[in-house]
């Protein structure tokens, strides 16, 4: 058989639950009132900054940074002077390189001009030699036809002796 719930029992359980809910509301109100009080307290407080200790710390830091700054300045000046030295050295090396390149260019141009001049002189000499060979063969042919070969040889010996006597 099913149990019948009495109204009295339901009301007792309801009362117990109601008391626990009321306690929770009271607790929330206490928390909210505490928070409100703290917010009012925070609004009313003022921050007072003491600059004397801050000045001392600033002085200490500036002295430390001053030492480091001078050290960094010295290192910077040292590196700058080294860079200038190497830049001048590189500049001199480039100047020597381009100077040597210019000298080599001038020498090669001179040798090229000399070689071209010699080539043309040789060609001219070959052409004159061919001309004189042809001229000599025509003269010999003419002398043989006129039977003057002995006279020409005598005349040539006389002329040669004159040239030798002048020297």
């Amino acid at each position: 058989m099913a149990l019948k719930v009495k109204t009295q029992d339901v009301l007792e359980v309801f009362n117990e639950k109601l008391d626990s809910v009321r306690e929770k509301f009271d607790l929330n109100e206490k928390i909210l009132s505490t928070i409100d009080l703290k917010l009012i307290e925070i609004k009313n407080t003022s921050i007072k900054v003491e600059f004397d200790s801050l000045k001392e710390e600033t002085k200490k830091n500036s002295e430390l940074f001053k030492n480091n700054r001078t050290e960094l300045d010295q290192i910077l000046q040292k590196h700058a002077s080294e860079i200038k030295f190497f830049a001048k050295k590189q500049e001199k090396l480039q100047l020597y390189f381009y100077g040597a390149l210019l000298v080599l260019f001038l020498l090669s141009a001179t040798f090229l001009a000399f070689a071209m001049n010699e080539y043309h002189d040789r060609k001219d000499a070959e052409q004159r030699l061919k001309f004189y060979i042809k001229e000599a063969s025509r003269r010999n042919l003419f002398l043989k036809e006129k039977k003057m070969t002995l006279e020409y040889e005598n005349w040539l010996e006389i002329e040669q002796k004159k040239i030798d006597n002048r020297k």
Side-chain angles (χ1 to χ4, degrees), residues 42-76:
I42 289 172
K43 285 180 184 178
N44 291 335
T45 57
S46 64
I47 299 175
K48 186 176 180 182
V49 179
E50 294 182 18
F51 290 106
D52 294 335
S53 62
L54 185 62
K55 286 180 184 177
E56 290 176 18
E57 288 299 318
T58 306
K59 282 183 183 179
K60 287 179 186 176
N61 284 341
S62 68
E63 287 176 12
L64 286 173
F65 287 136
K66 185 178 180 181
N67 293 338
N68 290 338
R69 204 174 310 132
T70 56
E71 185 179 338
L72 287 174
D73 283 340
Q74 290 172 353
I75 291 171
L76 178 67

Side-chain angles (χ1 to χ4, degrees), residues 96-133:
Y96 292 152
F97 173 74
Y98 289 123
L101 201 61
L102 178 65
V103 168
L104 286 174
F105 174 73
L106 291 175
L107 282 174
S108 62
T110 304
F111 285 134
L112 184 63
F114 178 74
M116 289 174 60
N117 191 18
E118 288 297 313
Y119 174 77
H120 289 297
D121 286 348
R122 191 176 121 232
K123 286 291 184 185
D124 288 343
E126 286 176 358
Q127 286 178 354
R128 279 185 273 142
L129 184 63
K130 287 179 184 177
F131 172 75
Y132 289 132
I133 289 173

